[in-house]
Amino acid sequence: MTDFDKKLIAKADAFSRWDYHNIDVLIAIADTDEARSHLLEIRRDLYDLVQETL
């Protein structure tokens, strides 16, 4: 995983649950599959939180 990927993941961790869809952009620009997988997991977790709220 590159430093750029680590920054993307840190940025995604700071997103609000309502902004889960914005992580798609980060997934698209990630350098490695490992980072894309981690970002997708964060997106799924935030999406689940939204669904629980609704």
Side-chain angles (χ1 to χ4, degrees), residues 8-19:
L8 292 178
I9 290 168
K11 186 173 187 106
D13 279 335
F15 279 15
S16 143
R17 73 179 78 179
W18 302 108
D19 295 327

Side-chain angles (χ1 to χ4, degrees), residues 5-17 19-20 22-23 26-27 38-40 42-43 46:
D5 287 341
K6 290 176 184 175
K7 288 178 185 177
L8 292 178
I9 290 168
K11 186 173 187 106
D13 279 335
F15 279 15
S16 143
R17 73 179 78 179
D19 295 327
Y20 72 89
N22 292 333
I23 295 177
L26 303 181
I27 292 169
H38 194 76
L39 289 165
L40 187 58
I42 293 169
R43 186 191 188 287
L46 292 177

